[in-house]
Amino acid sequence: MLINCPRCGFQQPKDKYCAQCGVDMETFKPATPPAWKRFFGNPLIQLSLLVVVAGGVGVSLYQKGQQNLERRVSYLKSTVQINSTSGGPSETFAASEESLPTADQASQTPEAPSDAADGVMNAYKVAAPTAAGSPTPAAASDDKTKERSVAKLHAPHLVVYYAEVGRGRLNAIVDASRSTGQFMNFNDYSAGILPNISKNLQGPQIKILHKEERALDRAKSLQWFYGWKDRRDLSIEIGHTTFFELNEMDANNLRGNLEIQRTWREMGPNGQFEIQRKSFPAIFEIGGETGFFMSGVMPPQSNLENDDELTSVDIYKILRSPQFRAGESEFVIFIEFEKGN
């Protein structure tokens, strides 16, 4: 029977002494390796070190992504002004030719603003029917309007939801956004990428106040306004203007800049309420089931002496909500991209 020498490994027939190195093979004991060698030779220690290194790399990449996102948003806040005009919004109550009209609106023609309105709401009247075989210019115009409406419905478009979201549900949305590494929390508002946006919109504690759809087939930029203007002084307005600038769009993804501009009656430095304008910019890239959300852009009070006109607009009905006024819910804007067909 052949055995190996415990010292040099020489293989020989069983004997007391090794024929190669002369050691007593029965009494020889190898020297104990140093403590550091035993420590690092432990498989559990090696696995733990691998996990720590991988975690450190992951954290480093996450922080780098956050820093890049912060730099992009800071640049947008400091230098890029999506709204290139110095005046207020040029549209009223989200009435814009770039919006997707309803079937009723497609067959209507605008009339002069009604005196009964607050100075900005457009009144509509249905075109009078004509005899068969005698189309009028107005009817031909209506046909073209319908054709454009159908084309818009099949074009890629931006879908914007204005919603009231319970505080608990909003915390879950924020956690989901943090997991993407594309969440930003500023002093007065938050914004981020939201996975599974369809599922999140159908979740509990979410009340959709209004849904806005905007065609992206021709426009590189979009703008619309929700709010109230004093018809006695059109320079006085309360509300939110949305500016969207398209950067890149393909079959499945949309990349762009967003700015929510709020004009609101707030406490000024002199201790009195005055009209103030604030901007809330963001950058996002969405597609598929990934969307975008922004919160913190709506104060809990209008500070108007009479806000009946303002709260008649869908998105401002939240000002009547006891939960919103108590801080138990939040005004949230969700955005998703529909690629059309």
Side-chain angles (χ1 to χ4, degrees):
M1 184 176 106
L2 299 178
I3 61 174
N4 293 328
C5 173
R7 179 181 180 185
C8 66
F10 181 72
Q11 193 176 57
Q12 66 177 38
K14 184 176 181 181
D15 196 357
K16 183 175 182 181
Y17 297 100
C18 174
Q20 178 74 19
C21 64
V23 72
D24 187 341
M25 294 190 296
E26 294 180 356
T27 60
F28 176 79
K29 292 183 181 180
T32 303
W36 66 268
K37 200 168 187 177
R38 296 198 308 273
F39 178 80
F40 288 105
N42 190 323
L44 291 178
I45 298 299
Q46 294 175 352
L47 180 61
S48 299
L49 289 174
L50 181 62
V51 171
V52 170
V53 171
V57 171
V59 171
S60 177
L61 292 175
Y62 174 82
Q63 291 177 342
K64 185 176 180 181
Q66 285 290 95
Q67 290 172 356
N68 288 337
L69 185 60
E70 288 177 2
R71 283 196 295 268
R72 291 169 64 194
V73 175
S74 297
Y75 172 77
L76 182 64
K77 294 183 74 174
S78 61
T79 63
V80 178
Q81 186 69 19
I82 301 176
N83 176 20
S84 59
T85 60
S86 58
S90 60
E91 297 176 274
T92 60
F93 268 99
S96 167
E97 64 178 3
E98 289 301 327
S99 61
L100 298 179
T102 63
D104 292 338
Q105 290 174 336
S107 62
Q108 295 174 342
T109 57
E111 189 182 41
S114 169
D115 290 339
D118 62 357
V120 295
M121 178 72 81
N122 289 330
Y124 289 89
K125 66 177 181 180
V126 179
T130 59
S134 303
T136 64
S141 177
D142 287 345
D143 291 339
K144 291 182 180 179
T145 301
K146 291 179 181 179
E147 290 177 1
R148 288 196 297 266
S149 299
V150 172
K152 287 181 180 180
L153 289 171
H154 294 283
H157 53 281
L158 198 70
V159 184
V160 184
Y161 299 90
Y162 301 87
E164 179 181 1
V165 181
R167 185 64 58 186
R169 184 60 187 168
L170 180 58
N171 291 339
I173 289 173
V174 168
D175 290 341
S177 181
R178 288 186 191 276
S179 69
T180 68
Q182 297 292 310
F183 172 77
M184 297 298 298
N185 186 20
F186 301 97
N187 290 333
D188 47 1
Y189 74 106
S190 300
I193 300 299
L194 182 61
N196 301 318
I197 185 169
S198 299
K199 181 179 179 181
N200 276 291
L201 285 171
Q202 298 172 0
Q205 296 185 326
I206 293 184
K207 178 182 179 182
I208 302 298
L209 303 169
H210 181 73
K211 177 182 177 181
E212 181 77 23
E213 299 189 38
R214 296 273 161 166
L216 297 170
D217 55 340
R218 295 178 301 167
K220 289 288 290 183
S221 61
L222 299 172
Q223 172 184 342
W224 64 93
F225 171 67
Y226 281 103
W228 167 84
K229 286 185 180 180
D230 189 339
R231 61 177 177 173
R232 296 164 296 184
D233 184 353
L234 295 182
S235 65
I236 298 178
E237 60 183 24
I238 298 292
H240 291 75
T241 306
T242 300
F243 301 96
F244 171 77
E245 185 179 70
L246 176 64
N247 285 342
E248 186 178 353
M249 179 175 64
D250 55 34
N252 298 307
N253 297 289
L254 173 70
R255 184 168 177 262
N257 299 335
L258 178 74
E259 179 186 352
I260 305 297
Q261 190 178 94
R262 183 181 77 205
T263 309
W264 211 254
R265 192 167 183 263
E266 300 182 77
M267 185 69 71
N270 58 359
Q272 296 181 351
F273 285 107
E274 57 186 37
I275 303 298
Q276 299 184 29
R277 182 170 294 171
K278 293 184 179 180
S279 180
F280 307 91
I283 301 173
F284 64 85
E285 182 175 354
I286 57 177
E289 279 298 308
T290 301
F292 176 82
F293 83 99
M294 180 182 287
S295 64
V297 301
M298 175 85 75
Q301 295 180 346
S302 68
N303 300 319
L304 296 172
E305 295 179 0
N306 184 357
D307 59 6
D308 290 341
E309 293 89 350
L310 184 64
T311 54
S312 65
V313 183
D314 287 346
I315 70 171
Y316 298 112
K317 285 180 168 61
I318 192 173
L319 295 173
R320 298 295 192 192
S321 168
Q323 292 77 18
F324 179 67
R325 296 174 70 92
E328 298 172 1
S329 64
E330 184 63 82
F331 177 75
V332 182
I333 300 173
F334 297 94
I335 297 178
E336 63 177 344
F337 171 57
E338 292 192 3
K339 59 184 179 180
N341 49 38

